[in-house]
Amino acid sequence: MQFKGTVYRCGRDIDTDVIIPARYLTTSDPAELAKHCMEDLDTEFVSKVSQGDIIVADENFGCGSSREHAPIAIKAAGIDVVIAKSFARIFYRNSINIGLAIMECPEAVDAISNGDVVSVDADTGTIVDETTGQTFKAQPFPPFLQEIIEAGGLINRTKAKLAAE
C-alpha cells in the first residue's frame, strides 16, 4: 500500500470527541461525519485537507471512547493514513476495522512539519518526508492487516473472502 499526501499536524491526546464531536453522533453516514471531522480543534480542517492527505500526531491519538465514528470521519474526510507517536489501542483496532491505515513512528512525528509532503509505503514501513528528504522506518503491517486495509475494512474483507469460497 502506497500513500502520498500533504501533512496536517496535530498535538497529543487528540481524543475521539475532538475527532468527531459527540453532537454529530446521531448519524453513522461517513459523508456527514466527514463534514465535522476535527472541527472542535480546527473549524477549517475539512476545507484544508484534500483526498490522500496525512495526519501526523503526537502521543495517544484517538484516546477517549471506543466509537468507530472517529476513524470513519477521518477516512471519509480524505485522510489516507495517520502517523503518530502512539495510538489509543481501541482507536488502533477501530481504524483497522474500517480500513484506515495508521502507523506508529515517533521519529517521523518529531521531524515532519505541517504542510510537508510525505509518502508512505505501508508494506515496508517506510515513511519519506519528500519536503526534507528524510526517511523513517515504522513497523510494516502484517499481511492479514494489509488485506483488511486494502479491502476497505474488516467487513469488506470478510465479504470478499466469503464470496470467493
Side-chain angles (χ1 to χ4, degrees):
M1 292 177 295
Q2 309 289 320
F3 306 102
K4 182 178 178 180
T6 302
V7 167
Y8 180 86
R9 281 292 310 229
C10 295
R12 64 176 296 141
D13 302 321
I14 302 298
D15 69 37
T16 54
D17 285 329
V18 169
I19 296 168
I20 184 65
R23 62 188 173 273
Y24 300 114
L25 299 181
T26 57
T27 183
S28 58
D29 175 45
E32 188 61 31
L33 293 171
K35 292 178 188 177
H36 305 288
C37 186
M38 301 291 223
E39 77 178 24
D40 285 355
L41 181 66
D42 179 353
T43 57
E44 297 182 16
F45 173 81
V46 174
S47 64
K48 289 179 184 177
V49 298
S50 299
Q51 186 65 45
D53 281 351
I54 297 169
I55 289 177
V56 173
D58 289 319
E59 298 90 351
N60 205 25
F61 189 84
C63 58
S65 77
S66 62
R67 68 178 74 108
E68 286 186 342
H69 294 77
I72 290 170
I74 290 170
K75 186 176 177 183
I79 300 296
D80 275 351
V81 63
V82 179
I83 303 167
K85 288 185 178 182
S86 64
F87 294 92
R89 290 297 103 192
I90 191 69
F91 180 86
Y92 188 95
R93 187 60 220 190
N94 284 342
S95 295
I96 300 301
N97 285 349
I98 63 96
L100 175 65
I102 58 176
M103 304 184 84
E104 291 183 342
C105 189
E107 298 81 16
V109 172
D110 286 340
I112 296 171
S113 298
N114 194 52
D116 285 1
V117 173
V118 169
S119 61
V120 175
D121 182 334
D123 299 335
T124 65
T126 304
I127 300 168
V128 178
D129 185 333
E130 297 194 4
T131 303
T132 66
Q134 292 178 288
T135 300
F136 309 94
K137 189 72 171 167
Q139 184 70 33
F141 291 117
F144 78 98
L145 289 184
Q146 288 178 27
E147 285 181 26
I148 293 170
I149 294 167
E150 287 173 351
L154 184 59
I155 292 172
N156 290 344
R157 178 181 176 263
T158 302
K159 285 179 181 177
K161 288 236 180 234
L162 291 173
E165 291 181 351

